[in-house]
Amino acid sequence: MSRILMFVLLAVVLATAALGGWVAPHDPTAPLGAPWRGAGPEHPLGTDALGRDVWSRVLAGGAGLISVSVLAALTASFVGVAGGLAAGWAGGALDRAATALTDLLLAVPSLLLALVVAVALPGHTAVVVATVCGGAPLTLRVVRDAVRSISGAGYVEAARCRGESGAAILVREVLPAMKGVVTADLGLRLVVALQIASALNVLGFGPSPPEPDWALMLRENMVGVAMNPWSVAAPAAALGLTTVLLALSVQLAADRDPVAPRWRRRNVHVGL
């Protein structure tokens, strides 16, 4: 798949998820017919467990899932980048403390942490907490390694000679030099956040019915999959396509950055 085509498909999927509720042919929460009716002219993908239009619910079902995933990924990336810049530049005790903290956080599976948090807090909060605790340590390590490899570059030494402060050098010289690394890592955090949010929603910790949501649709319609397979296949395909396109975007972003291939081989795996 060409890079342009892949990004076009990703843009279409994200735009559909964001605006699908506005263009859906029917109210995604309103029962319109018999439960699990097969595909037909009025309902291209049939109806679901409560007789609601599956196509309309698929169009409207990605907005909440993707928005909470984006929020979680941005938060995790910001925390990780800030910590990695500080640890990689300062070294010494700060670096050792950051390493110890990341080791501690990485010892706890992200999904397990999300389940524990979701018992006491709303599902979207659990997604953010689990993504930050599980993803920020990986981002911190990636950024710290990149800062170490860049800190001895000529343009960084020149900035030191000009008398610029450490914070100014990090913001003006170091961070722009590893924008590909940061972008690719942000994509990884987004993929993981989407997986965690989907898992929590399937388990019932996400939005409450009749809210349209791809993961919730899987849970609601599994019993009637034999009567209308589209009630499960359509949201599963939307969720899978979004995840695959995001993962491919991560790989393309990493391949275009000169620093990224070294850490991508070590950190591109996505696990919960």
Side-chain angles (χ1 to χ4, degrees):
M1 182 184 297
S2 69
R3 181 179 291 111
I4 295 178
L5 176 60
M6 193 276 299
F7 281 119
V8 169
L9 288 175
L10 179 60
V12 169
V13 169
L14 295 180
T16 301
L19 304 175
W22 297 92
V23 299
H26 303 284
D27 182 352
T29 64
L32 301 172
W36 291 308
R37 180 185 296 173
E42 186 178 358
H43 305 291
L45 299 180
T47 60
D48 70 353
L50 296 180
R52 298 165 298 194
D53 182 54
V54 171
W55 174 237
S56 298
R57 288 181 66 78
V58 169
L59 288 175
L65 196 62
I66 292 177
S67 61
V68 70
S69 300
V70 169
L71 173 62
L74 288 174
T75 305
S77 183
F78 176 80
V79 173
V81 169
L85 288 172
W89 185 261
L94 179 59
D95 189 17
R96 291 191 295 271
T99 301
L101 179 60
T102 57
D103 290 341
L104 178 62
L105 292 174
L106 291 175
V108 181
S110 298
L111 184 55
L112 176 60
L113 179 61
L115 289 172
V116 172
V117 176
V119 173
L121 298 174
H124 60 273
T125 304
V127 173
V128 175
V129 171
T131 305
V132 171
C133 293
L138 293 174
T139 303
L140 187 149
R141 290 188 173 190
V142 167
V143 172
R144 181 193 62 184
D145 291 345
V147 171
R148 286 179 172 178
S149 67
I150 294 172
S151 59
Y155 57 88
V156 175
E157 294 296 335
R160 284 196 181 101
C161 293
R162 292 195 300 268
E164 295 186 18
S165 65
I169 294 174
L170 287 174
V171 173
R172 297 175 185 172
E173 308 292 343
V174 176
L175 190 56
M178 55 184 193
K179 60 183 179 181
V181 171
V182 173
T183 301
D185 187 79
L186 174 61
L188 285 177
R189 303 286 76 81
L190 182 56
V191 170
V192 173
L194 187 60
Q195 291 178 336
I196 295 174
S198 301
L200 288 181
N201 290 3
V202 168
L203 293 173
F205 292 104
S208 301
E211 188 74 19
D213 180 270
W214 292 337
L216 182 60
M217 291 175 69
L218 299 178
R219 181 170 180 250
E220 291 176 330
N221 296 296
M222 194 62 68
V223 177
V225 65
M227 290 180 280
N228 182 18
W230 286 113
S231 63
V232 172
L239 187 57
L241 178 62
T242 302
T243 304
V244 169
L245 290 175
L246 286 172
L248 290 175
S249 300
V250 169
Q251 183 162 355
L252 288 177
D255 288 340
R256 295 186 65 182
D257 189 86
V259 182
R262 294 200 295 272
W263 64 263
R264 182 165 55 85
R265 286 190 291 269
R266 302 195 302 268
N267 299 296
V268 75
H269 61 278
V270 176
L272 300 180

